[in-house]
Amino acid sequence: MPSVSPTINLNDMTPTATTGNRNVNWQADASNPRNVSAESPNWGSVNPQAGASYTIDAASRGKLVTFSHGPTVAVTLDGAATLGVEFLCGVENIGSGVVTITPASGTIDGAATLVLAAASSALIFSDGANFFTVRGGGGGGSTGPTGPTGPTGPDGVTGVGGDTGPTGPTGPTGPTGPTGPIGVGIGATYIQSCGSAWGATETCAFGVNNQLGNTLFIIVASGNLGGSAVNFPTPTDSQANVLTYLGHFNSGVGAQIQVWAVFGCKAGANTVSGQVGAGIDYCITAVEYNGVMSPCEQWGTALGGLPNVAVTTTNPKDFLISFASLVTSSGIPAITTVTSTDASANCRILGGSAVAVTERSVSVTGTYTEDVQLNSTNPYSLVKAACWLSAGVQGSTGLTGSTGPTGPTGPTGPSGPTGAASTVPGPTGPTGPSGPTGPTGATGSTGATGAGAANAMLRPNTRRWAYCPVIPAGTTSPIGDVWGSGTGSFTAVNASATEPVSLRATTGATIGNAAGYGSGNSGAYLNYKFDRSPRFQKRILLQSTANVRVWIFLSDQAAATMYGSATPAGNWIALRFDTGAGDTTWQLIVSKAGSRASVDTTITPDTSEHTYEIYYDNSNSQVLAYIDGVLRASQVTAANLPANTVLTWAGAYITTLASSTKYVDYAYDYIESDF
């Protein structure tokens, strides 16, 4: 019988932990006998902070640090090299001010600081050199219904009437609704534009649906007004948005542009129309931005060739935008080039080529001047504005809070006092006081806005969610729902200067071999139902864009069914890139029992790391696709949308279409849905 060594070696790394787990660290003191214990990273608990400053160090690892001080909180974050590659910490601004987080060394999302507006939050990760975040934010819920009034008290006896009883107190306001997600960064993002031809009755239609809460600018330009100013009728759009008149400029030679804005537009397809007046030709242009807020605090106007137009900002974060069109008395010529004297301004020609804009985000108050030139000539009309910037890209709608319970019935009012003896009957006593108002239920709100896409995490228990990052050992570490096993071979990829640690999934060298993983497979973990508006986000890097098939999906089919075909059966929504099917760009595809429809995102795949997201918007019966936080395609074909009763799982796979290996690097998965 073999002998067994009586010695036990407590080792931090051997044997290696099983998949989905991690080794612990052993430690011992110098006592005799020696005390031995195991330690692992902290995970959980809340660290509330009410002061104006705080330092996040290793003790904050795995905790949620909340900040309630106003109006500002200055937070120092120990350097990434000090905290290490396994550092993870949640931060949330529950106060009314602004929280500024500054790393002691390195950057955070490529910037020197991270700014958290009120009711916003983030998860902070370290790669040992810099920090990266997943962010969230939002606003409060509305007041719920008032509880019922208590019954009327009995009449008092005849006599002199008593005083009226006091009104019962109002019940307390219900709790704030959950925070909606926001994108990354502070700034405005151009989404799309459209423009009409030159005529007496013109319209222009946006190419894709407007996003909820974005800002639209609508410009009407006319060139045969006879040198006099004309008040144009307010344009309209097919979404019945409210238009605010902002300003105009009359060139004095028969040309004029007038500008309106829609702050917080409705979601959906939109066509803009207008009319200047009988017998007057014009053109209409519309442009959509994300991250611009009301008000536009100042307007300036000028005629090209005159001194620069200037605006003075009073808000610390503003979006400067100028609208310009060429001036003639007989029409609006097409613009082919646009330049600005402001070296920091971005210049673009809008749809229809009748109007050009220059745009710039600023973070310091002051006076900003500009002159532009169209088609290397003058004259032209110019209108310049300064609008407020929001804290980020518009997030998705928060959950609706439940209705508060009915308040209790108020007590019966007291009888009125007995009247003095009299031959004349006294008046009836007063009605008793009303019962107190029941507590208010909380209604969830629309989240605050941001650039990156509307693609960030909510606090736990407000939505069903799962987050599956990759840890330095080269394995996934799911938080929330169970995560399924993968296909292919897997190795760890160290963090770089710009990206966190990744998990590399590599195929075999035989045509049809696949690699990847997801939240379930073949009915094992079908945790996400389409009527709960699931959204799946994954950050990946492709080794090659030649001879590959890539799927990112929510599906009720087995993994092999999805990665084994360009047109799999079943019910699913997905982003696909398949060179064997002739794809040159990412395609948004939906399938209802094998009946499919696709929309081109126009985005060409490359070998850099990107964030991809698909969203089944059950409330609006549409499927949306985002790449790096920007909406790239939407699908509303009812005959091909999967039924909202379908249960799904999330996954992403690469298949080689040549006799060579292919791989994809995974940084993280994030999926959420309503409960």
Side-chain angles (χ1 to χ4, degrees):
M1 180 173 182
S3 62
V4 178
S5 172
T7 302
I8 297 176
N9 181 30
L10 301 181
N11 191 293
D12 291 347
M13 298 303 294
T14 303
T16 303
T18 59
T19 301
N21 297 295
R22 58 174 297 157
N23 290 80
V24 299
N25 295 325
W26 293 95
Q27 60 179 356
D29 62 16
S31 64
N32 187 12
R34 301 181 71 182
N35 296 310
V36 179
S37 65
E39 63 176 4
S40 63
N42 179 67
W43 187 256
S45 81
V46 178
N47 178 12
Q49 295 296 321
S53 63
Y54 184 70
T55 297
I56 295 176
D57 54 19
S60 300
R61 180 178 181 177
K63 298 181 180 180
L64 172 64
V65 184
T66 62
F67 304 97
S68 57
H69 184 76
T72 60
V73 182
V75 179
T76 300
L77 179 60
D78 278 359
T82 301
L83 295 176
V85 296
E86 294 185 358
F87 180 77
L88 168 63
C89 176
V91 291
E92 181 179 17
N93 183 2
I94 62 174
S96 59
V98 173
V99 176
T100 301
I101 300 174
T102 305
S105 65
T107 61
I108 185 164
D109 286 339
T113 60
L114 167 66
V115 178
L116 293 180
S120 61
S121 59
L123 275 177
I124 301 176
F125 298 82
S126 168
D127 66 0
N130 298 290
F131 295 96
F132 305 87
T133 68
V134 176
R135 310 189 195 182
S142 60
T143 301
T146 301
T149 302
T152 302
D155 293 340
V157 298
T158 303
V160 177
D163 294 333
T164 301
T167 301
T170 301
T173 301
T176 301
T179 300
I182 64 173
V184 178
I186 297 176
T189 303
Y190 168 84
I191 302 299
Q192 60 178 325
S193 65
C194 61
S196 75
W198 173 257
T201 304
E202 297 298 329
T203 64
C204 67
F206 285 105
V208 298
N209 291 355
N210 292 151
Q211 299 178 42
L212 180 66
N214 280 355
T215 294
L216 312 179
F217 291 105
I218 299 172
I219 309 99
V220 176
S222 183
N224 57 355
L225 304 177
S228 61
V230 174
N231 292 324
F232 298 165
T234 301
T236 59
D237 67 5
S238 58
Q239 286 290 339
N241 285 307
V242 177
L243 277 71
T244 301
Y245 181 72
L246 298 181
H248 76 279
F249 184 73
N250 180 33
S251 68
V253 294
Q256 184 173 340
I257 60 174
Q258 296 189 13
V259 184
W260 287 261
V262 174
F263 296 108
C265 71
K266 300 175 183 177
N270 196 6
T271 299
V272 182
S273 59
Q275 190 169 4
V276 171
I280 302 177
D281 290 340
Y282 71 99
C283 62
I284 189 166
T285 303
V287 58
E288 179 180 5
Y289 285 91
N290 184 291
V292 181
M293 294 176 61
S294 174
C296 284
E297 59 183 1
Q298 184 174 2
W299 285 88
T301 60
L303 178 66
L306 298 179
N308 291 346
V309 62
V311 292
T312 301
T313 64
T314 58
N315 188 54
K317 295 180 179 64
D318 269 2
F319 179 58
L320 308 183
I321 186 167
S322 299
F323 302 92
S325 67
L326 287 164
V327 173
T328 74
S329 60
S330 60
I332 303 295
I335 299 171
T336 57
T337 61
V338 55
T339 58
S340 171
T341 57
D342 185 347
S344 299
N346 181 54
C347 302
R348 73 173 77 245
I349 300 170
L350 300 182
S353 302
V355 176
V357 299
T358 66
E359 57 199 32
R360 176 187 179 188
S361 297
V362 297
S363 58
V364 178
T365 58
T367 299
Y368 296 87
T369 61
E370 181 185 30
D371 197 3
V372 302
Q373 192 172 57
L374 306 179
N375 297 359
S376 302
T377 185
N378 283 317
Y380 58 85
S381 296
L382 176 65
V383 176
K384 186 176 182 67
C387 301
W388 287 15
L389 280 173
S390 64
V393 174
Q394 175 65 45
S396 57
T397 302
L399 300 174
T400 300
S402 59
T403 302
T406 302
T409 303
T412 302
S415 300
T418 302
S422 174
T423 58
V424 179
T428 300
T431 299
S434 300
T437 302
T440 303
T443 299
S445 68
T446 299
T449 62
N455 312 311
M457 190 181 75
L458 299 179
R459 289 193 299 274
N461 300 324
T462 59
R463 302 195 83 198
R464 183 186 187 94
W465 63 276
Y467 179 63
C468 187
V470 174
I471 61 177
T475 60
T476 58
S477 180
I479 306 165
D481 284 344
V482 175
W483 222 254
S485 59
T487 297
S489 60
F490 294 88
T491 55
V493 179
N494 292 331
S496 67
T498 58
E499 297 296 342
V501 64
S502 298
L503 182 63
R504 176 165 296 171
T506 304
T507 72
T510 302
I511 294 175
N513 281 175
Y517 69 92
S519 68
N521 189 355
S522 191
Y525 306 115
L526 299 180
N527 290 337
Y528 297 94
K529 194 176 178 184
F530 281 141
D531 69 353
R532 300 307 184 196
S533 296
R535 56 197 309 155
F536 175 43
Q537 182 183 110
K538 196 172 187 82
R539 186 165 182 84
I540 65 174
L541 176 149
L542 300 179
Q543 168 212 10
S544 171
T545 59
N547 299 314
V548 295
R549 175 188 301 132
V550 183
W551 283 106
I552 302 170
F553 59 80
L554 284 164
S555 173
D556 66 353
Q557 297 296 298
T561 300
M562 295 303 298
Y563 64 66
S565 172
T567 56
N571 300 282
W572 42 266
I573 64 175
L575 279 168
R576 183 195 76 184
F577 174 64
D578 189 336
T579 58
D583 294 345
T584 58
T585 57
W586 285 102
Q587 304 293 309
L588 172 61
I589 308 178
V590 299
S591 173
K592 181 177 183 180
S595 176
R596 294 171 295 275
S598 64
V599 176
D600 190 352
T601 69
T602 72
I603 301 302
T604 302
D606 57 29
T607 55
S608 298
E609 197 160 76
H610 299 283
T611 301
Y612 301 89
E613 180 178 328
I614 50 177
Y615 173 32
Y616 191 105
D617 181 4
N618 184 59
S619 298
N620 296 299
S621 299
Q622 62 180 346
V623 174
L624 307 177
Y626 298 82
I627 299 179
D628 292 330
V630 178
L631 178 64
R632 295 300 185 182
S634 60
Q635 178 60 262
V636 296
T637 307
N640 304 107
L641 290 181
N644 63 9
T645 57
V646 171
L647 291 169
T648 68
W649 64 287
Y653 291 81
I654 185 171
T655 302
T656 180
L657 303 181
S659 297
S660 59
T661 61
K662 304 289 183 180
Y663 69 75
V664 59
D665 291 347
Y666 299 104
Y668 69 84
D669 301 73
Y670 177 69
I671 183 169
E672 67 178 21
S673 74
D674 297 338
F675 280 119

